[in-house]
Amino acid sequence: MRRLTLVLLMASLAGGCSQAISPYTGLSANYDRRDQDSDGVINQRDRCANTELGAKVDNYGCSAYQRHDDGYELMVFFEHDSSQLGSEYYAQLQQVADFLNRYPQVKISVEGYASASGAQQYNLALSQRRAQQVRLLLLDNYGIAAERVELQPYGEAQLLVEGADAQSEAANRRVRVYVQQQYRTVVPKWSVYTPHLKQ
């Protein structure tokens, strides 16, 4: 009798504490595992769509980049009181043209200079003719668009070598072409097929 009373008491206590448990109604699982840009990060998590193929990416599909500097400088020299460029420099002008073709958005400045002998105004005009000669060769012989090549005549204002001797004079009769281009590329993703790359 005592046992029956104890069982009934426990049953009544358990019944008083019981609550109806509602079924789980959370969001259904998303089984979409598509990776549109094939970077290893599914679309649902990818914050950088259209990643370059083969790029190293972070957990959100965004590429790492590395910056590069590329530039080209050409210095050509002229005879005394002349603006005619010798043909020995044509191969170097081809290299300038190749650089410009590699970076079609780049513009360059062709700087003309003269030695200190002679009148200042004459030297300024001479440096203009020298720069113009190099510009025309780039346009006519190598197909560079005119709007990409600007002239900057300096005359004798920026001597490369001080002095009135023949060697100093020769060094100052010049045209300088200089351009620098900064660009960036993605850091490539390492794989067993590219062991020469570091992750």
Side-chain angles (χ1 to χ4, degrees):
M1 187 68 171
R2 178 188 258 176
R3 177 178 283 186
L4 179 59
T5 304
L6 185 58
V7 170
L8 289 173
L9 179 62
M10 291 180 65
S12 66
L13 288 172
C17 294
S18 67
Q19 296 178 353
I21 300 176
S22 59
Y24 175 71
T25 57
L27 297 175
S28 59
N30 185 347
Y31 295 105
D32 184 1
R33 294 294 179 262
R34 285 178 293 178
D35 178 10
Q36 184 177 351
D37 54 7
S38 302
D39 62 358
V41 178
I42 62 172
N43 294 344
Q44 185 181 7
R45 195 198 315 183
D46 202 334
R47 295 179 184 172
C48 299
N50 303 318
T51 303
E52 186 175 323
L53 192 63
K56 181 180 179 181
V57 297
D58 61 18
N59 290 337
Y60 300 101
C62 296
S63 304
Y65 289 93
Q66 51 192 353
R67 292 193 173 276
H68 304 272
D69 289 315
D70 196 1
Y72 195 86
E73 180 179 29
L74 171 65
M75 195 89 77
V76 296
F77 298 91
F78 294 81
E79 295 296 326
H80 175 71
D81 199 22
S82 172
S83 59
Q84 293 301 309
L85 186 66
S87 58
E88 67 270 20
Y89 292 110
Y90 286 9
Q92 292 169 279
L93 286 179
Q94 179 66 64
Q95 293 177 351
V96 174
D98 292 342
F99 183 91
L100 290 172
N101 289 328
R102 193 159 60 246
Y103 302 109
Q105 75 281 12
V106 169
K107 295 182 179 182
I108 64 171
S109 178
V110 179
E111 305 166 357
Y113 301 90
S115 63
S117 62
Q120 188 174 358
Q121 280 302 112
Y122 181 84
N123 287 337
L124 184 62
L126 179 58
S127 69
Q128 169 87 18
R129 292 195 301 273
R130 287 171 175 166
Q132 182 66 24
Q133 169 71 8
V134 172
R135 181 178 185 271
L136 288 175
L137 286 170
L138 287 171
L139 271 54
D140 296 342
N141 292 12
Y142 305 100
I144 303 302
E147 63 271 14
R148 298 183 63 194
V149 187
E150 298 177 352
L151 296 184
Q152 287 197 350
Y154 289 101
E156 59 189 76
Q158 297 182 20
L159 297 177
L160 188 65
V161 180
E162 295 287 344
D165 58 282
Q167 190 172 4
S168 301
E169 294 274 310
N172 290 319
R173 300 190 298 258
R174 70 197 191 279
V175 162
R176 177 178 183 255
V177 179
Y178 177 74
V179 62
Q180 185 173 21
Q181 172 67 9
Q182 290 187 336
Y183 64 98
R184 66 179 193 167
T185 58
V186 295
V187 176
K189 178 169 47 181
W190 183 90
S191 77
V192 293
Y193 300 107
T194 53
H196 59 287
L197 299 176
K198 294 184 179 179
Q199 191 171 13

